[in-house]
Amino acid sequence: MPSNPLSHHFPRIFHLASLHPPRDFYPIADTPICLEIGAGKGKHALLFASQNPDKHLYAIERTAIKFEAFDKQAGMANPPNLTAIHADAIAWTAFAVYPKQIQTCFILYPNPEPKNKNQRFLNMPFFELLLSKMADGGQIILASNIGDYIDEAERLLTEMWQLPYSKRQIESTSARTHFEIKYLARGERCQELIITKPGGYRTRFDETLPLHLSRSSSDEA
Ligand SMILES: C[S@@+](CC[C@H](N)C(=O)[O-])C[C@H]1O[C@@H](n2cnc3c(N)ncnc32)[C@H](O)[C@@H]1O
C-alpha cells in the first residue's frame, strides 16, 4: 500500500494475478502513448493517427470480426503511428503499459451494460489500474449516447474517483466512429466526458510494472 493517502474512495481492488497474457503478446517501449479501448472497426483510430502524426495510438479491439475489418483498413492506410491490437484491453493494458505512460485514453461508446452496471468501466476495479497508467495531466475521453451512463459516470467521478472532468455534447455532424454516426443519425444525444488525472493523484498501482516484466522477473527468481 502507498504511504501517501489514496486519491480516491473506490473500495474494491483489481486482481492482477488472474490475468493471462494476450495471445501473440509482444512488449512495447516505455515512451508516451495514446490508447483506445474498444476501437471497433477502427474509424476513430485511423482518423486520430492521420491527424496526430506526432502521437502513437495503440487501438485495442477484442471482437474478432470487428478487429478483422479494422486490421484490413489499418493495413491499407498503414500509418506508422497506429498499432491495431486484437486483445482484451484490460489484459493488454496490464501486461504492456508502464506507469504514467498514457497521454490520452479513448473509450468511445462502450457497451452500455444495462443489466450489469459493474461491467461499466468506471465501476470496474480495472479503472484504478488504468489511472495508474495515465500520465499526470493525461485525459480519458469517455463518450456515450446513454444519458444514464453519463450521469452515473459523473457521480462516480465526483464521489468515488475524485477526478475533475468537463462534459460536452457531440455536434450532430461529428462522425468519429461507426456507432457515433449511427446514434447521431437516429437523432440521439451523444455526450462526452473529458476526465483529467491531476498531478500527485495516488492509486494502489503506482509502482506496478507491466506484468510481462514482473512475471518474467519472478519466473527467474
Ligand atoms: C459499442 S462498440 C463501440 C465501438 C467503437 N468505439 C465505435 O464507437 O464505433 C464497443 C466495442 O468495445 C469492444 N470492447 C468491449 N470491451 C472490450 C475490452 N475489454 N477490450 C477490447 N475491446 C472491448 C467491443 O468488442 C465493441 O466492439
Side-chain angles (χ1 to χ4, degrees):
M1 289 284 279
S3 49
N4 291 339
L6 294 176
S7 300
H8 62 80
H9 300 154
F10 191 76
R12 289 176 288 143
I13 184 136
F14 186 55
H15 293 290
L16 292 162
S18 57
L19 291 177
H20 297 287
R23 209 181 313 152
D24 303 326
F25 175 78
Y26 58 89
I28 63 169
D30 186 6
T31 52
I33 64 166
C34 299
L35 177 70
E36 184 167 351
I37 295 178
K41 296 180 183 171
K43 189 172 178 55
H44 171 265
L46 284 153
L47 194 66
F48 180 88
S50 71
Q51 291 175 347
N52 296 275
D54 56 328
K55 299 195 165 134
H56 195 111
L57 177 66
Y58 287 83
I60 325 283
E61 174 52 51
R62 74 174 173 202
T63 302
I65 197 148
K66 290 188 185 179
F67 179 77
E68 275 167 30
F70 176 18
D71 200 36
K72 195 170 162 194
Q73 295 296 322
M76 283 191 297
N78 202 19
N81 59 332
L82 173 63
T83 307
I85 293 183
H86 183 205
D88 182 317
I90 293 175
W92 189 85
T93 302
F95 273 87
V97 183
Y98 290 79
K100 297 195 178 186
Q101 194 182 1
I102 305 172
Q103 298 169 305
T104 310
C105 175
F106 297 95
I107 309 177
L108 303 178
Y109 306 96
N111 295 334
E113 309 287 359
K115 296 214 175 92
N116 191 359
K117 293 188 179 179
N118 279 342
Q119 293 299 312
R120 294 181 172 182
F121 281 100
L122 271 69
N123 263 326
M124 289 164 72
F126 164 70
F127 195 69
E128 183 179 357
L129 180 74
L130 179 64
L131 288 172
S132 75
K133 311 282 189 187
M134 297 299 304
D136 291 344
Q139 294 192 317
I140 299 172
I141 315 292
L142 176 68
S144 180
N145 64 321
I146 312 278
D148 163 66
Y149 194 108
I150 294 289
D151 293 347
E152 182 191 74
E154 287 190 80
R155 186 177 53 72
L156 290 166
L157 287 170
T158 305
E159 293 175 9
M160 295 274 220
W161 297 111
Q162 317 268 318
L163 282 166
Y165 67 90
S166 61
K167 179 164 74 164
R168 72 175 189 103
Q169 183 158 337
I170 308 299
E171 319 77 66
S172 60
T173 52
S174 185
R176 294 175 300 178
T177 80
H178 289 97
F179 277 75
E180 186 165 83
I181 293 167
K182 179 171 78 173
Y183 298 140
L184 290 172
R186 294 201 302 227
E188 294 180 16
R189 184 168 65 138
C190 294
Q191 300 178 93
E192 179 169 279
L193 300 179
I194 299 139
I195 305 158
T196 302
K197 178 184 173 184
Y201 192 91
R202 300 281 307 170
T203 80
R204 289 166 284 196
F205 296 100
D206 293 343
E207 322 303 331
T208 301
L209 289 173
L211 283 186
H212 81 87
L213 284 180
S214 52
R215 293 240 176 125
S216 56
S217 57
S218 63
D219 290 349
E220 285 162 18

